[in-house]
Amino acid sequence: MDQDSHCTAEKELVEGVRGITTFSTTTPSAEEENQPEVEISCQLKKENPEKDDLKDSNATLSPNSSMTTKELQEYWRNEKSQCRQVKLLFEIPSTRIVEHHLSKYVMYKIIILQTGSFDSNKSVIERRYSDFEKLHRNLLEEFSEEMEDVTFPKKTLTGNFTEEIINERKLAFKDYLRLIYSMKYIRRSKKFIDFLTRPELQEAYGCLRGGQYTKALEILLEVIGLQERLTRGNPVSIVPTLCAIVVCHKDLENPASAFEYGEKALSRLHVHTSHRYYMPLLETMITLAYELGKDFLSLQEKLEEWKTKKDPIRVFTLKELAVREYVQ
Protein backbone atom coordinates (compact mmCIF):
# COMPACT_ATOMS: atom_id res chain seq x y z
CA MET A 1 0.00 0.00 0.00
CA ASP A 2 1.45 3.42 -0.96
CA GLN A 3 1.62 6.33 1.49
CA ASP A 4 -1.50 8.11 0.10
CA SER A 5 -3.62 4.97 0.40
CA HIS A 6 -2.39 4.37 3.94
CA CYS A 7 -3.28 7.94 4.97
CA THR A 8 -6.71 7.60 3.39
CA ALA A 9 -7.35 4.38 5.33
CA GLU A 10 -6.32 6.04 8.58
CA LYS A 11 -8.55 9.04 7.85
CA GLU A 12 -11.55 6.76 7.23
CA LEU A 13 -10.94 4.92 10.49
CA VAL A 14 -10.67 8.15 12.46
CA GLU A 15 -13.97 9.36 10.99
CA GLY A 16 -15.55 6.02 11.87
CA VAL A 17 -14.36 6.25 15.47
CA ARG A 18 -15.68 9.80 15.72
CA GLY A 19 -19.02 8.50 14.52
CA ILE A 20 -19.07 5.90 17.29
CA THR A 21 -18.14 8.50 19.91
CA THR A 22 -20.94 10.73 18.68
CA PHE A 23 -23.36 7.83 18.90
CA SER A 24 -22.38 6.97 22.47
CA THR A 25 -23.17 10.47 23.70
CA THR A 26 -26.43 10.98 21.79
CA THR A 27 -29.62 11.29 23.81
CA PRO A 28 -31.57 7.98 23.70
CA SER A 29 -34.44 7.89 21.23
CA ALA A 30 -38.06 7.51 22.24
CA GLU A 31 -37.94 3.87 21.22
CA GLU A 32 -34.98 3.25 23.54
CA GLU A 33 -36.75 5.04 26.38
CA ASN A 34 -39.62 2.58 26.01
CA GLN A 35 -37.29 -0.39 26.51
CA PRO A 36 -36.13 0.00 30.13
CA GLU A 37 -34.93 -3.60 30.39
CA VAL A 38 -32.09 -2.91 27.99
CA GLU A 39 -28.89 -1.71 29.61
CA ILE A 40 -26.42 -0.08 27.27
CA SER A 41 -23.04 0.23 28.87
CA CYS A 42 -21.93 3.24 26.91
CA GLN A 43 -25.03 5.16 28.07
CA LEU A 44 -24.60 4.39 31.77
CA LYS A 45 -21.95 7.00 32.30
CA LYS A 46 -24.05 9.61 30.54
CA GLU A 47 -27.10 8.89 32.68
CA ASN A 48 -25.21 8.92 35.96
CA PRO A 49 -21.83 10.54 35.27
CA GLU A 50 -19.05 10.79 37.81
CA LYS A 51 -16.07 13.09 37.38
CA ASP A 52 -13.55 10.34 38.07
CA ASP A 53 -15.17 8.01 35.55
CA LEU A 54 -15.18 10.74 32.92
CA LYS A 55 -11.51 11.45 33.52
CA ASP A 56 -10.71 7.78 33.18
CA SER A 57 -12.76 7.52 29.99
CA ASN A 58 -11.08 10.54 28.45
CA ALA A 59 -7.67 9.28 29.40
CA THR A 60 -8.06 5.79 27.94
CA LEU A 61 -10.59 5.93 25.11
CA SER A 62 -10.11 9.13 23.15
CA PRO A 63 -8.62 8.49 19.70
CA ASN A 64 -5.82 10.70 18.48
CA SER A 65 -3.90 11.30 15.31
CA SER A 66 -0.81 9.41 16.55
CA MET A 67 -2.65 6.08 16.50
CA THR A 68 -1.65 3.56 13.87
CA THR A 69 -4.23 1.90 11.67
CA LYS A 70 -4.06 -1.25 13.80
CA GLU A 71 -4.55 0.73 17.02
CA LEU A 72 -7.54 2.54 15.55
CA GLN A 73 -9.09 -0.77 14.51
CA GLU A 74 -8.63 -2.13 18.03
CA TYR A 75 -10.09 1.06 19.49
CA TRP A 76 -13.09 0.78 17.19
CA ARG A 77 -13.71 -2.82 18.26
CA ASN A 78 -13.53 -1.85 21.94
CA GLU A 79 -15.97 1.03 21.47
CA LYS A 80 -18.48 -1.21 19.73
CA SER A 81 -18.19 -3.91 22.40
CA GLN A 82 -18.87 -1.35 25.14
CA CYS A 83 -22.09 -0.31 23.41
CA ARG A 84 -23.51 -3.83 23.22
CA GLN A 85 -26.89 -4.36 24.75
CA VAL A 86 -26.62 -6.04 28.15
CA LYS A 87 -29.58 -7.64 29.86
CA LEU A 88 -29.88 -10.11 32.72
CA LEU A 89 -32.34 -12.96 32.57
CA PHE A 90 -33.81 -14.58 35.70
CA GLU A 91 -34.98 -18.19 35.77
CA ILE A 92 -36.36 -20.21 38.69
CA PRO A 93 -36.17 -23.82 37.48
CA SER A 94 -36.56 -25.69 40.78
CA THR A 95 -37.24 -25.53 44.49
CA ARG A 96 -36.49 -27.55 47.62
CA ILE A 97 -38.22 -27.80 50.97
CA VAL A 98 -36.00 -27.21 54.00
CA GLU A 99 -36.88 -28.39 57.51
CA HIS A 100 -34.97 -27.16 60.57
CA HIS A 101 -36.36 -28.26 63.95
CA LEU A 102 -39.52 -26.14 64.25
CA SER A 103 -39.16 -24.27 60.94
CA LYS A 104 -40.04 -25.35 57.44
CA TYR A 105 -39.72 -23.29 54.28
CA VAL A 106 -39.21 -23.43 50.52
CA MET A 107 -35.93 -22.40 48.87
CA TYR A 108 -36.22 -21.10 45.30
CA LYS A 109 -33.27 -21.72 43.00
CA ILE A 110 -32.58 -18.60 40.91
CA ILE A 111 -30.36 -18.73 37.82
CA ILE A 112 -29.08 -15.37 36.56
CA LEU A 113 -27.45 -15.11 33.16
CA GLN A 114 -26.63 -12.51 30.58
CA THR A 115 -28.50 -12.59 27.28
CA GLY A 116 -27.18 -11.51 23.90
CA SER A 117 -24.26 -13.93 23.90
CA PHE A 118 -23.38 -17.36 25.25
CA ASP A 119 -23.03 -16.94 29.01
CA SER A 120 -20.85 -19.69 30.49
CA ASN A 121 -20.62 -17.90 33.85
CA LYS A 122 -24.22 -18.04 34.96
CA SER A 123 -24.87 -17.31 38.62
CA VAL A 124 -26.95 -19.59 40.82
CA ILE A 125 -28.40 -18.48 44.17
CA GLU A 126 -31.20 -19.60 46.49
CA ARG A 127 -33.73 -17.41 48.27
CA ARG A 128 -36.83 -18.12 50.37
CA TYR A 129 -40.21 -16.37 50.45
CA SER A 130 -39.19 -14.20 53.42
CA ASP A 131 -36.14 -12.94 51.47
CA PHE A 132 -38.35 -11.80 48.60
CA GLU A 133 -40.80 -10.29 51.07
CA LYS A 134 -38.04 -8.29 52.77
CA LEU A 135 -36.76 -7.04 49.40
CA HIS A 136 -40.27 -5.94 48.41
CA ARG A 137 -40.76 -4.11 51.70
CA ASN A 138 -37.38 -2.32 51.35
CA LEU A 139 -38.07 -1.30 47.74
CA LEU A 140 -41.50 0.06 48.66
CA GLU A 141 -39.84 2.34 51.22
CA GLU A 142 -37.36 3.81 48.73
CA PHE A 143 -39.18 3.53 45.40
CA SER A 144 -42.86 3.91 46.29
CA GLU A 145 -43.85 5.44 42.94
CA GLU A 146 -41.95 2.92 40.81
CA MET A 147 -43.35 0.00 42.86
CA GLU A 148 -46.91 1.28 42.83
CA ASP A 149 -48.18 -1.27 40.28
CA VAL A 150 -45.83 -4.13 41.19
CA THR A 151 -47.72 -7.06 42.68
CA PHE A 152 -46.23 -9.48 45.17
CA PRO A 153 -47.51 -13.01 45.90
CA LYS A 154 -49.41 -12.97 49.16
CA LYS A 155 -48.92 -15.33 52.06
CA THR A 156 -51.43 -18.11 52.54
CA LEU A 157 -52.47 -19.65 55.83
CA THR A 158 -52.46 -23.16 54.43
CA GLY A 159 -51.11 -25.00 51.42
CA ASN A 160 -47.73 -23.23 51.27
CA PHE A 161 -45.96 -26.51 50.55
CA THR A 162 -48.31 -27.89 47.92
CA GLU A 163 -46.95 -28.33 44.42
CA GLU A 164 -49.59 -25.96 43.04
CA ILE A 165 -48.68 -23.04 45.36
CA ILE A 166 -44.94 -23.59 44.91
CA ASN A 167 -45.24 -23.58 41.11
CA GLU A 168 -47.38 -20.44 41.20
CA ARG A 169 -44.78 -18.66 43.30
CA LYS A 170 -41.96 -19.82 41.04
CA LEU A 171 -43.61 -18.06 38.12
CA ALA A 172 -44.59 -15.04 40.23
CA PHE A 173 -41.06 -14.52 41.59
CA LYS A 174 -39.58 -14.90 38.11
CA ASP A 175 -41.91 -12.19 36.76
CA TYR A 176 -41.25 -10.06 39.84
CA LEU A 177 -37.47 -10.11 39.34
CA ARG A 178 -37.83 -9.42 35.62
CA LEU A 179 -40.10 -6.46 36.27
CA ILE A 180 -38.06 -4.74 38.99
CA TYR A 181 -34.84 -5.31 37.04
CA SER A 182 -36.45 -3.46 34.11
CA MET A 183 -36.58 -0.32 36.28
CA LYS A 184 -33.26 1.50 35.94
CA TYR A 185 -33.02 3.04 39.40
CA ILE A 186 -34.13 -0.13 41.16
CA ARG A 187 -31.69 -2.45 39.39
CA ARG A 188 -28.85 -0.11 40.35
CA SER A 189 -30.00 0.25 43.95
CA LYS A 190 -28.00 -1.19 46.82
CA LYS A 191 -31.09 -2.96 48.19
CA PHE A 192 -31.64 -4.92 44.98
CA ILE A 193 -27.94 -5.76 44.57
CA ASP A 194 -27.73 -6.82 48.23
CA PHE A 195 -30.68 -9.17 47.74
CA LEU A 196 -28.79 -10.97 44.97
CA THR A 197 -25.31 -11.01 46.54
CA ARG A 198 -25.23 -10.23 50.27
CA PRO A 199 -26.07 -13.70 51.73
CA GLU A 200 -23.27 -15.32 49.72
CA LEU A 201 -20.82 -12.54 50.60
CA GLN A 202 -21.68 -12.83 54.29
CA GLU A 203 -20.96 -16.56 54.13
CA ALA A 204 -17.70 -16.01 52.24
CA TYR A 205 -16.41 -13.40 54.68
CA GLY A 206 -17.42 -15.61 57.58
CA CYS A 207 -15.27 -18.39 56.11
CA LEU A 208 -12.42 -15.93 55.56
CA ARG A 209 -12.53 -14.80 59.20
CA GLY A 210 -12.50 -18.45 60.25
CA GLY A 211 -9.43 -19.22 58.16
CA GLN A 212 -11.41 -21.34 55.67
CA TYR A 213 -9.76 -19.70 52.69
CA THR A 214 -10.55 -22.41 50.13
CA LYS A 215 -14.28 -22.28 50.87
CA ALA A 216 -14.27 -18.47 51.02
CA LEU A 217 -12.47 -18.26 47.69
CA GLU A 218 -14.92 -20.65 46.05
CA ILE A 219 -17.88 -18.49 47.06
CA LEU A 220 -16.19 -15.18 46.23
CA LEU A 221 -15.29 -16.35 42.72
CA GLU A 222 -18.94 -17.27 42.13
CA VAL A 223 -20.21 -13.92 43.41
CA ILE A 224 -17.73 -11.61 41.66
CA GLY A 225 -19.12 -12.33 38.18
CA LEU A 226 -22.65 -11.42 39.26
CA GLN A 227 -21.41 -8.31 41.06
CA GLU A 228 -19.65 -7.14 37.90
CA ARG A 229 -22.84 -7.50 35.87
CA LEU A 230 -24.96 -5.71 38.43
CA THR A 231 -22.56 -2.79 39.01
CA ARG A 232 -21.36 -1.92 35.50
CA GLY A 233 -21.82 1.78 36.19
CA ASN A 234 -19.92 1.63 39.49
CA PRO A 235 -16.79 -0.55 39.07
CA VAL A 236 -15.26 0.64 42.37
CA SER A 237 -18.02 -1.10 44.33
CA ILE A 238 -16.53 -4.55 43.70
CA VAL A 239 -13.05 -3.62 44.96
CA PRO A 240 -13.65 -5.15 48.44
CA THR A 241 -14.59 -8.49 46.87
CA LEU A 242 -11.56 -8.42 44.55
CA CYS A 243 -9.33 -7.66 47.55
CA ALA A 244 -10.87 -10.49 49.56
CA ILE A 245 -9.99 -12.81 46.68
CA VAL A 246 -6.43 -11.46 46.79
CA VAL A 247 -6.24 -12.22 50.53
CA CYS A 248 -7.52 -15.79 50.02
CA HIS A 249 -5.10 -16.54 47.18
CA LYS A 250 -2.22 -15.04 49.16
CA ASP A 251 -2.94 -17.11 52.27
CA LEU A 252 -3.36 -20.21 50.09
CA GLU A 253 0.11 -19.46 48.68
CA ASN A 254 -1.10 -18.68 45.16
CA PRO A 255 0.85 -15.43 44.63
CA ALA A 256 0.35 -15.33 40.85
CA SER A 257 -3.46 -15.52 41.17
CA ALA A 258 -3.39 -13.03 44.04
CA PHE A 259 -1.41 -10.59 41.90
CA GLU A 260 -3.81 -11.06 38.97
CA TYR A 261 -6.85 -10.07 41.04
CA GLY A 262 -4.87 -7.31 42.73
CA GLU A 263 -4.22 -5.76 39.32
CA LYS A 264 -7.95 -5.84 38.59
CA ALA A 265 -8.66 -4.05 41.86
CA LEU A 266 -5.93 -1.45 41.28
CA SER A 267 -7.25 -0.69 37.79
CA ARG A 268 -10.54 0.35 39.40
CA LEU A 269 -8.82 2.55 41.96
CA HIS A 270 -6.26 4.47 39.90
CA VAL A 271 -8.48 7.58 39.97
CA HIS A 272 -9.84 6.80 43.44
CA THR A 273 -6.66 6.97 45.49
CA SER A 274 -8.54 8.15 48.58
CA HIS A 275 -10.38 4.82 48.74
CA ARG A 276 -9.76 2.94 52.00
CA TYR A 277 -8.44 -0.10 50.11
CA TYR A 278 -5.93 1.79 47.95
CA MET A 279 -2.88 1.95 50.24
CA PRO A 280 -3.28 -1.54 51.79
CA LEU A 281 -3.70 -2.98 48.29
CA LEU A 282 -0.57 -1.21 47.06
CA GLU A 283 1.43 -2.59 49.99
CA THR A 284 0.21 -6.12 49.28
CA MET A 285 0.92 -5.78 45.56
CA ILE A 286 4.49 -4.63 46.27
CA THR A 287 5.07 -7.75 48.38
CA LEU A 288 3.55 -10.01 45.71
CA ALA A 289 5.48 -8.35 42.88
CA TYR A 290 8.77 -8.79 44.75
CA GLU A 291 7.93 -12.46 45.41
CA LEU A 292 7.07 -13.07 41.75
CA GLY A 293 10.06 -11.17 40.36
CA LYS A 294 7.85 -8.51 38.80
CA ASP A 295 8.38 -4.76 38.66
CA PHE A 296 7.61 -3.45 42.13
CA LEU A 297 9.39 -0.10 41.85
CA SER A 298 6.51 1.59 40.03
CA LEU A 299 4.13 0.36 42.73
CA GLN A 300 6.52 1.61 45.38
CA GLU A 301 6.58 5.03 43.72
CA LYS A 302 2.78 5.19 43.80
CA LEU A 303 2.81 4.27 47.48
CA GLU A 304 5.37 6.95 48.34
CA GLU A 305 3.42 9.50 46.31
CA TRP A 306 0.25 8.59 48.20
CA LYS A 307 2.01 8.95 51.57
CA THR A 308 3.26 12.45 50.74
CA LYS A 309 -0.28 13.61 50.00
CA LYS A 310 -1.99 12.06 53.02
CA ASP A 311 -1.75 12.73 56.73
CA PRO A 312 0.11 10.01 58.67
CA ILE A 313 -2.81 8.00 60.04
CA ARG A 314 -3.06 4.34 60.98
CA VAL A 315 -4.03 2.23 57.99
CA PHE A 316 -5.23 -1.36 58.22
CA THR A 317 -3.57 -4.13 56.25
CA LEU A 318 -5.51 -5.62 53.35
CA LYS A 319 -6.39 -8.69 55.39
CA GLU A 320 -7.50 -6.59 58.38
CA LEU A 321 -9.82 -4.64 56.09
CA ALA A 322 -11.21 -7.79 54.52
CA VAL A 323 -12.12 -9.49 57.79
CA ARG A 324 -14.04 -6.37 58.87
CA GLU A 325 -16.42 -6.57 55.91
CA TYR A 326 -19.94 -7.85 56.60
CA VAL A 327 -19.45 -8.04 60.36
CA GLN A 328 -22.90 -8.08 61.96
Side-chain angles (χ1 to χ4, degrees), residues 32-41 43-44 47-48 85-90 135 139 142-143 146-147 176-197 226-234 237:
E32 289 168 333
E33 289 292 341
N34 292 329
Q35 296 177 343
E37 291 182 281
V38 175
E39 184 77 34
I40 302 179
S41 298
Q43 291 179 355
L44 272 176
E47 293 168 347
N48 189 19
Q85 293 179 341
V86 176
K87 178 183 174 184
L88 294 185
L89 182 67
F90 299 88
L135 170 66
L139 292 179
E142 187 174 350
F143 305 100
E146 291 87 341
M147 298 290 292
Y176 178 80
L177 289 173
R178 177 192 59 78
L179 181 57
I180 62 176
Y181 178 76
S182 72
M183 302 177 191
K184 179 177 65 176
Y185 295 107
I186 291 181
R187 69 169 168 262
R188 296 181 189 176
S189 70
K190 185 178 184 301
K191 291 176 180 178
F192 179 63
I193 294 172
D194 278 353
F195 168 78
L196 295 172
T197 61
L226 178 56
Q227 275 190 305
E228 288 176 331
R229 297 170 192 177
L230 292 168
T231 60
R232 288 179 180 271
N234 183 19
S237 63

Side-chain angles (χ1 to χ4, degrees), residues 18-29 32-33 40 42-43 46-47:
R18 286 175 182 164
I20 292 175
T21 306
T22 302
F23 166 77
S24 67
T25 57
T26 301
T27 302
S29 65
E32 289 168 333
E33 289 292 341
I40 302 179
C42 63
Q43 291 179 355
K46 178 182 181 296
E47 293 168 347

Side-chain angles (χ1 to χ4, degrees), residues 249-309:
H249 274 306
K250 189 172 184 295
D251 280 19
L252 290 170
E253 299 183 356
N254 300 325
S257 297
F259 191 84
E260 176 189 348
Y261 279 92
E263 285 188 314
K264 292 180 180 179
L266 271 182
S267 70
R268 288 161 170 79
L269 292 180
H270 72 282
V271 293
H272 300 276
T273 58
S274 61
H275 196 282
R276 70 187 189 282
Y277 271 89
Y278 183 70
M279 182 180 174
L281 178 59
L282 272 179
E283 291 177 332
T284 300
M285 290 295 284
I286 290 169
T287 301
L288 290 169
Y290 182 80
E291 182 179 349
L292 294 167
K294 295 180 178 290
D295 172 34
F296 63 90
L297 294 178
S298 59
L299 294 170
Q300 186 71 48
E301 289 174 1
K302 289 180 180 178
L303 181 61
E304 295 302 323
E305 181 183 355
W306 186 92
K307 288 180 177 179
T308 60
K309 294 180 179 179

Side-chain angles (χ1 to χ4, degrees), residues 77-125:
R77 280 193 293 269
N78 289 338
E79 278 291 292
K80 289 184 356 184
S81 69
Q82 288 184 11
C83 293
R84 282 181 189 154
Q85 293 179 341
V86 176
K87 178 183 174 184
L88 294 185
L89 182 67
F90 299 88
E91 295 289 345
I92 304 181
S94 62
T95 62
R96 63 188 179 95
I97 298 175
V98 179
E99 295 189 58
H100 283 309
H101 303 297
L102 300 177
S103 66
K104 182 179 179 180
Y105 52 88
V106 179
M107 294 294 290
Y108 295 85
K109 181 179 180 180
I110 306 169
I111 297 178
I112 308 161
L113 56 129
Q114 180 176 309
T115 61
S117 61
F118 177 72
D119 192 354
S120 60
N121 298 316
K122 64 184 180 183
S123 301
V124 181
I125 60 176

